Amino acid sequence: MIDAAARNLVRMRADNRCEYCLLRQECSDDALHIEHIVAKQDGGSDDLGNLALACHRCNLYKGPNLTGFDFESDHIVRLFHPRRDRWADHFIPRGPASKG
């Protein structure tokens, strides 16, 4: 079980944003989740380095998966890892919030 101090550290480290889509907590009707980057069923731990803040949509979409199918390359690829990867190397902001 993840204690309150660890939950607070994860939220602070993420600046109260989903670490996958960058949705801010105040822009969501649902509380952001503390999720395991590597699921416990796959050997992941409750260590801070394996915990990420995720919105409901990203948490459900990622699930326990570490890989996904890329339809452009027709290959299985490793999913974004918020502790190892730089967000800007994997995503391009779109929509009104991304304009200047």
Side-chain angles (χ1 to χ4, degrees), residues 13-14 18-22 35-40 42-45 47-54 58 62-68 77-91:
R13 176 180 63 199
C18 173
E19 295 186 63
Y20 298 97
C21 72
L22 302 184
E35 71 104 22
H36 292 86
I37 299 166
V38 176
K40 292 186 90 169
D42 293 322
S45 70
D47 292 342
L48 288 175
N50 189 47
L51 301 176
L53 193 60
C58 288
K62 177 190 167 282
N65 301 320
L66 298 175
T67 61
V77 296
R78 184 178 62 81
L79 295 178
F80 174 74
H81 189 298
R83 293 297 148 264
R84 292 188 206 143
D85 302 325
R86 274 182 13 105
W87 195 90
D89 291 341
H90 292 267
F91 304 104

Side-chain angles (χ1 to χ4, degrees), residues 11-52:
R11 283 187 176 281
M12 286 176 31
R13 176 180 63 199
D15 192 27
N16 248 353
R17 287 179 176 245
C18 173
E19 295 186 63
Y20 298 97
C21 72
L22 302 184
L23 176 71
R24 297 196 65 74
Q25 176 62 73
E26 61 264 21
C27 296
S28 176
D29 291 333
D30 299 315
L32 299 182
H33 301 227
I34 306 295
E35 71 104 22
H36 292 86
I37 299 166
V38 176
K40 292 186 90 169
Q41 69 189 29
D42 293 322
S45 70
D46 288 341
D47 292 342
L48 288 175
N50 189 47
L51 301 176

Side-chain angles (χ1 to χ4, degrees), residues 60-78:
L60 286 177
Y61 187 75
K62 177 190 167 282
N65 301 320
L66 298 175
T67 61
F69 187 77
D70 178 10
F71 290 97
E72 287 186 23
S73 69
D74 203 32
H75 289 92
I76 293 176
V77 296
R78 184 178 62 81

